[in-house]
Amino acid sequence: MLREVKEEVGIQLDTWKYLGGWPNEYSHKSIVNDVYFLARVENFQSVQTCSDEIEGIFIKNPGTINTEALTIPSLKIAVFAYLHNGHRS
């Protein structure tokens, strides 16, 4: 996983751990289990995207996210799990 993050977005993770996985139905009608991790990084100065695989990067403090506005069900659950299970830093 560390190598993939470095390759896909250009950042080195200091630590990471599994948050959870939740099913999500995508427009092509297949159900996929989206997997979420918690990670720490020193900074985001080296963030870059691999344009073949990542459309963009959005960095936001999870505590400021309005979960009701999220349209991806698994993302809504992941942010809620993060905020309500003592993961705040």
Side-chain angles (χ1 to χ4, degrees), residues 28-44:
H28 48 77
K29 302 296 180 202
S30 64
I31 295 178
V32 175
N33 193 45
D34 292 333
V35 180
Y36 294 86
F37 295 88
L38 301 174
R40 288 197 183 275
V41 299
E42 187 173 319
N43 62 61
F44 293 100

Side-chain angles (χ1 to χ4, degrees), residues 60 62-81 83-84:
K60 188 156 177 85
T64 65
I65 296 173
N66 175 4
T67 56
E68 295 303 315
L70 296 174
T71 59
I72 301 171
S74 64
L75 178 58
K76 184 182 287 192
I77 295 168
V79 171
F80 184 85
L83 294 173
H84 293 90

